[in-house]
Amino acid sequence: MTKIAILGANGRLGRVVAKAFIDAGFDVRAITRSGKVPAELEGATAIAGDALDREALIHATQGVDIIFNGLNPIYTDWGKCLPMAENVMAACHANGTLHLFPGTVYNYGSPMPQVVTEDTPFRPTTEKGRIRCAMEALFRREADAGRVRTIILRAGDFFGGTGSGSWFDLVVAAKMSKGVYTAPGPANLVHEWAYLPDFAVGFVGLARNLDKLGFYEALNFPGHPVTDLEIKAAAEKALGRTLKLSFMPWWVLRAGSPFVAMWREIVSMSYLRFEPHRLVSDRLEDIVGEIPHTPLDEAVSQALNDIGIATVDKADSRKAA
């Protein structure tokens, strides 16, 4: 049985990916600093390991075939990203493991290309974009040197899964219980979203088709390139009621950014909310077969349930019970 270590298994992405690999029959090792994992990851082996401690990470990942790198510090802690990436490379090299990594669209900078292909060049214009490019450059060097094989699957903004920290739950759905949909940008602008359960199954597909992949690959995951109006309509259908359209008060964050570190970091990435973009792939379907894609209405409904907002179907099922 293939053994996979999930780094950051307590995080939103890590726990969804871990669950997908458990469901697919892999031997999953959930690596967290505390050595504890959510109850939803029953079937995984919990192991303590700090990604900032190289020797501890090497020890925690001994005996695995694949390392999924779901490490993602909060915006104000991104100075840890490159040291963590270096330690992950050291662990992969020491243990002879494959490296799976979730890429972002930060690498492309502003103005964002409206259509991002796997050949679109990186032109980072923010510190976070430059950090991401430096991480991928490190992975490429390790692969070119024959030390660590890396497969990257790049996606847009996350939604779905339990936990907090995404634009969907912190902004879009934050006031839905009061009947308000909050758009982070122009309501008719196309923005790339990735429904996490689909994205996770995409990684499983890659892990099952390694014979079709090279020593270094960077692939796009076409998710849901949709507008806020489309997400609002899906949410209204799920909730069974009309939502008032509101907009994120960017002027407040800009005014407060000199004094609030997190606001400053969010404002630095605000261009993504005002420049249309979507991801396409020329290769992913040939590798994994049909690309996982939950219909938008179903994905939004489940994503709302995941963050504790009962939809019509969920409410009806509770009454029946």
Side-chain angles (χ1 to χ4, degrees):
M1 184 184 295
T2 302
K3 299 180 178 66
I4 181 168
I6 308 293
L7 305 184
N10 272 331
R12 189 188 206 117
L13 172 61
R15 68 177 70 178
V16 176
V17 171
K19 183 66 166 58
F21 276 98
I22 291 169
D23 291 345
F26 285 69
D27 181 346
V28 174
R29 313 293 175 87
I31 314 293
T32 65
R33 281 178 295 179
S34 67
K36 299 178 181 179
V37 295
E40 65 201 76
L41 297 188
E42 183 180 355
T45 301
I47 299 174
D50 187 343
L52 288 172
D53 183 332
R54 181 170 298 189
E55 292 307 314
L57 188 61
I58 290 172
H59 179 72
T61 55
Q62 283 180 345
V64 303
D65 306 294
I66 301 171
I67 291 177
F68 174 81
N69 183 353
L71 301 168
N72 190 31
I74 61 171
Y75 261 16
T76 51
D77 283 345
W78 266 47
K80 298 176 181 178
C81 287
L82 198 51
M84 284 181 172
E86 291 169 345
N87 289 345
V88 172
M89 288 294 97
C92 288
H93 181 51
N95 295 319
T97 59
L98 170 79
H99 177 229
L100 292 179
F101 183 73
T104 73
V105 297
Y106 296 2
N107 308 49
Y108 301 102
S110 178
M112 274 291 293
Q114 291 195 31
V115 178
V116 177
T117 72
E118 281 135 357
D119 296 322
T120 300
F122 296 160
R123 295 192 177 95
T125 54
T126 65
E127 182 62 19
K128 286 180 173 52
R130 286 186 281 272
I131 288 171
R132 276 287 177 156
C133 287
M135 291 168 68
E136 291 190 31
L138 167 66
F139 303 154
R140 186 61 187 254
R141 289 196 302 272
E142 291 295 301
D144 288 347
R147 287 190 289 264
V148 178
R149 187 182 184 189
T150 287
I151 310 298
I152 296 171
L153 189 59
R154 194 178 313 282
D157 265 326
F158 299 159
F159 74 111
T162 57
S164 62
S166 77
W167 281 85
F168 185 84
D169 53 84
L170 294 180
V171 179
V172 171
K175 297 181 179 179
M176 278 193 193
S177 60
K178 299 178 180 179
V180 177
Y181 179 101
T182 307
N188 61 350
L189 182 140
V190 173
H191 185 85
E192 181 70 38
W193 292 88
Y195 182 51
L196 279 188
D198 290 341
F199 190 42
V201 174
F203 276 107
V204 173
L206 292 174
R208 283 176 164 165
N209 289 279
L210 296 176
D211 59 319
K212 300 177 183 178
L213 295 161
F215 210 72
Y216 181 89
E217 300 278 7
L219 303 158
N220 287 348
F221 183 80
H224 290 83
V226 294
T227 67
D228 275 292
L229 292 177
E230 290 174 282
I231 299 177
K232 177 175 177 287
E236 290 173 334
K237 183 176 179 179
L239 298 171
R241 65 179 187 272
T242 301
L243 297 170
K244 178 183 176 182
L245 180 62
S246 180
F247 294 91
M248 185 172 172
W250 281 103
W251 68 271
V252 173
L253 273 72
R254 291 191 177 98
S257 62
F259 315 103
V260 183
M262 181 59 78
W263 290 11
R264 184 163 57 250
E265 298 300 326
I266 292 171
V267 167
S268 74
M269 306 305 296
S270 62
Y271 71 92
L272 288 168
R273 300 292 155 185
F274 295 90
E275 298 176 8
H277 59 278
R278 65 188 184 95
L279 292 171
V280 298
S281 177
D282 294 328
R283 300 186 55 223
L284 186 61
E285 188 171 10
D286 291 337
I287 295 165
V288 303
E290 184 177 356
I291 297 173
H293 185 84
T294 302
L296 183 65
D297 287 350
E298 181 182 339
V300 169
S301 179
Q302 186 57 54
L304 292 174
N305 287 331
D306 288 342
I307 58 174
I309 299 177
T311 61
V312 172
D313 289 343
K314 191 72 171 179
D316 288 345
S317 66
R318 286 175 181 168
K319 289 178 182 177

